[in-house]
Amino acid sequence: MKPVPTPSKPPVTGKLRRHLRGLAHGIKPIVTIGKQGLGPAVVKQIDAALDSHELIKVQYGTDKAEKLKAAAEIERQLGALCAGTVGHMIILFRQNEDPEKRVVELPRALLR
């Protein structure tokens, strides 16, 4: 797993979250969290998906109230940013540390 916060992480602003939610609008969920909840295997799947895609949707299949707790736990364990939640979906972003492997380009205006 990745170390939690890194110095190269972009500053979190409302505009950045809005931009990421817009980018995530057209993508389908990559990981589904079912009745078993957020276990080590699911966290490992999310970590791998963030490494390759940077911006992903995770479907939380059971309780919407538990979804926020799961999002906070994923943020803590993986150093990801929860860009928002919609219905049963959690939108997660973690920028790749290697600039050559980055998939999502963030506009410079959002990085201030």
Side-chain angles (χ1 to χ4, degrees), residues 36-108:
Q36 300 297 323
L38 189 65
V42 176
V43 171
K44 193 173 183 178
Q45 267 188 314
I46 293 170
D47 188 38
L50 285 169
D51 279 344
S52 60
H53 299 284
E54 289 186 330
L55 181 66
I56 64 168
K57 281 184 179 176
V58 175
Q59 184 171 7
Y60 199 89
T62 56
D63 186 17
K64 286 184 185 180
E66 292 293 318
K67 172 185 65 177
L68 297 176
K69 291 179 186 175
E73 185 63 22
I74 292 167
E75 281 183 311
R76 187 187 67 75
Q77 285 188 24
L78 301 178
L81 166 67
C82 178
T85 59
V86 179
H88 288 284
M89 298 292 170
I90 303 169
I91 301 167
L92 297 169
F93 174 74
R94 182 176 69 201
Q95 193 171 39
N96 200 317
E97 293 174 6
D98 184 3
E100 293 180 9
K101 293 183 180 179
R102 290 186 181 159
V103 178
V104 177
E105 280 205 36
L106 300 176
R108 287 185 176 211

Side-chain angles (χ1 to χ4, degrees), residues 3-38:
V4 180
T6 60
S8 65
K9 239 179 153 178
V12 180
T13 63
K15 288 182 181 182
L16 174 63
R17 288 178 193 268
R18 189 175 334 124
H19 178 73
L20 292 171
R21 284 193 308 267
L23 292 175
H25 181 73
I27 62 175
K28 297 201 182 288
I30 293 178
V31 179
T32 301
I33 301 172
K35 292 179 182 177
Q36 300 297 323
L38 189 65

